[in-house]
Amino acid sequence: YWRGDLDTSGVETLRRALDHIRTHDGWFESFALGFDALVHEALFGDQPEQAADLIEAMHATAAERGIARLRHLAEAFELRFLLRTDQMRAAARLFERVKTQAVEDTRYLYTPTWLIVFAASLACAEYLSRVGLPKDAMLYASRAHDITRRVDAPFFSLRALLLKARVQDAIRRRGDAIDAVLPALKMAASTEFRAPFRGTETGRILRAARSRIRNDEQALLMITFLNDLLGRERRDTQLLS
């Protein structure tokens, strides 16, 4: 999914696989990663009703299996859903709960909960950016990035860098946004992770970044990958009336 290789039928196969482990057997990490991909697909595929159904399924699974960590993760995803659907009053209330799952000092991170802390930090950063508090948003986004480096999770580090770029772009600090997105592009180019770059906000930053990348041997892979991302964005846009 994250490489952008799943078509509609592939996403449906992923959904059935997640339903299977919910029915038969599974553990927090498999639930977390499956829901992470599917909620992302729903939110950035402009299918908010599917995102709502998935988040409800997360809460139900957490209650059935007694997995508190999954409930906390569901709340982080729900905050992002509320922001995407402009439910700002509900988002403000939920933010107060989600921020309790983020840590102020990542040196004291309890490693088994890192994925929850990461998701909560990202969701809080998105909320604070949306309500016009970019400095606070950058603080949470930077914590998320630091967490991924502490647990050596480069794919999640890429996503934290993208959020930092979006926060900077939202306050028209385009140069800082490009500075954040370039290392994310470098990571993604070698692994071909395309899905994290979905969204019109990221598209603006990518187009700006393309003019800064120099056409040398080190940047050649990044340029090819960047052109592929922008080409996909253009094709996706043309599908809409």
Side-chain angles (χ1 to χ4, degrees):
Y1 170 75
W2 292 110
R3 289 191 171 96
D5 294 336
L6 295 186
D7 57 13
T8 302
S9 63
V11 172
E12 182 56 33
T13 301
L14 175 59
R15 186 185 300 275
R16 287 198 302 270
L18 184 58
D19 286 341
H20 177 82
I21 65 168
R22 286 184 61 218
T23 304
H24 295 85
D25 195 13
W27 57 95
F28 169 72
E29 286 75 12
S30 57
F31 292 137
L33 296 178
F35 279 116
D36 184 21
L38 288 170
V39 169
H40 185 273
E41 168 66 18
L43 291 178
F44 287 92
D46 197 24
Q47 298 171 314
E49 67 288 343
Q50 288 193 17
D53 290 344
L54 287 163
I55 292 165
E56 184 178 347
M58 290 181 74
H59 281 295
T61 305
E64 291 165 5
R65 300 294 185 91
I67 308 175
R69 288 187 294 169
L70 189 60
R71 175 173 56 81
H72 296 317
L73 192 65
E75 290 179 342
F77 289 176
E78 186 177 354
L79 179 54
R80 293 172 57 201
F81 163 76
L82 293 172
L83 294 172
R84 288 276 165 183
T85 52
D86 294 319
Q87 300 181 60
M88 297 307 297
R89 288 187 179 180
R93 293 191 295 270
L94 186 56
F95 167 74
E96 295 300 322
R97 290 208 307 273
V98 173
K99 73 177 182 180
T100 64
Q101 298 302 320
V103 295
E104 294 186 4
D105 191 338
T106 57
R107 291 176 300 175
Y108 304 108
L109 175 70
Y110 179 53
T111 303
T113 65
W114 79 266
L115 191 55
I116 299 165
V117 180
F118 169 81
S121 299
L122 285 192
C124 288
E126 286 190 24
Y127 172 79
L128 291 164
S129 178
R130 181 71 178 274
V131 298
L133 297 171
K135 289 185 178 179
D136 292 336
M138 280 300 295
L139 181 62
Y140 277 92
S142 296
R143 287 174 186 166
H145 188 210
D146 190 36
I147 289 165
T148 63
R149 288 181 293 180
R150 288 185 179 276
V151 298
D152 191 23
F155 167 66
F156 293 91
S157 183
L158 182 161
R159 294 167 69 181
L161 286 167
L162 283 177
L163 181 57
K164 292 172 76 171
R166 292 186 188 113
V167 172
Q168 298 286 16
D169 183 65
I171 55 174
R172 302 184 184 280
R173 297 180 62 171
R174 185 59 56 80
D176 291 333
I178 294 173
D179 288 340
V181 85
L182 286 179
L185 278 170
K186 187 175 181 180
M187 289 183 202
S190 60
T191 56
E192 298 188 348
F193 284 132
R194 299 180 183 91
F197 293 88
R198 294 177 69 179
T200 55
E201 307 97 327
T202 308
R204 289 195 303 268
I205 303 167
L206 294 177
R207 287 189 291 273
R210 182 160 56 180
S211 62
R212 187 188 293 187
I213 301 175
R214 296 179 180 176
N215 193 8
D216 56 29
E217 291 184 4
Q218 187 175 6
L220 192 57
L221 182 62
M222 288 175 61
I223 293 170
T224 302
F225 180 71
L226 182 53
N227 287 337
D228 177 49
L229 287 174
L230 292 173
R232 285 171 180 250
E233 180 200 30
R234 184 167 59 253
R235 290 192 297 273
D236 289 345
T237 303
Q238 289 170 348
L239 292 174
L240 302 176
S241 63

